Amino acid sequence: MTHHDVTTSKGASQGQTIQVIVDLRRRDNTTSRIKAHADVEVRIDSLGSINVFGFSVFEPEGKPLIVLPPAHKGERKSFPHVKLTGKVKSMIESAILRECQNLSETEKE
């Protein structure tokens, strides 16, 4: 699991610490482009936390890994369960990709 801490500095939440914790599960099926699944907990100091389950780490052909948010898969398209924007989006995606990279490096040793 990865812990990624950020301290905010603006607005009503000044001085709040935001912690992103990733629980990553690698897929053993090497034929799938989905390489891992992740659940994320975002802790905001004493305010509490937000848990988001069901992120996927996708490997597009010939491109770097990307993080897909949880979604309901329909017949023709997926319908997202959550929409992330701004710094929260980059914090969560970076934490998931970092955990994926750390796990890959650990497996190489």
Side-chain angles (χ1 to χ4, degrees):
M1 267 195 236
T2 295
H3 296 267
H4 180 70
D5 296 335
V6 174
T7 302
T8 62
S9 60
K10 292 184 179 179
S13 61
Q14 187 169 0
Q16 294 270 337
T17 299
I18 299 172
Q19 185 179 44
V20 179
I21 301 164
V22 176
D23 180 15
L24 185 81
R25 298 170 307 284
R26 300 246 334 172
R27 287 192 60 167
D28 292 331
N29 182 356
T30 56
T31 60
S32 174
R33 287 193 184 174
I34 301 293
K35 299 303 177 187
H37 295 283
D39 300 330
V40 174
E41 180 181 2
V42 180
R43 292 184 186 163
I44 307 166
D45 267 354
S46 62
L47 294 177
S49 65
I50 300 168
N51 292 289
V52 184
F53 304 99
F55 286 93
S56 297
V57 179
F58 180 73
E59 184 176 42
E61 198 167 314
K63 296 182 180 178
L65 296 174
I66 59 171
V67 176
L68 302 174
H72 175 76
K73 310 243 184 297
E75 287 184 34
R76 295 190 183 127
K77 69 177 195 172
S78 294
F79 302 94
H81 291 287
V82 65
K83 181 178 180 180
L84 303 172
T85 60
K87 285 186 179 184
V88 170
K89 179 181 180 188
S90 62
M91 284 173 53
I92 290 173
E93 289 178 351
S94 295
I96 292 171
L97 293 173
R98 201 170 22 259
E99 180 69 9
C100 204
Q101 181 180 8
N102 290 344
L103 196 56
S104 293
E105 289 173 0
T106 302
E107 289 175 354
K108 290 178 184 177
E109 294 175 358

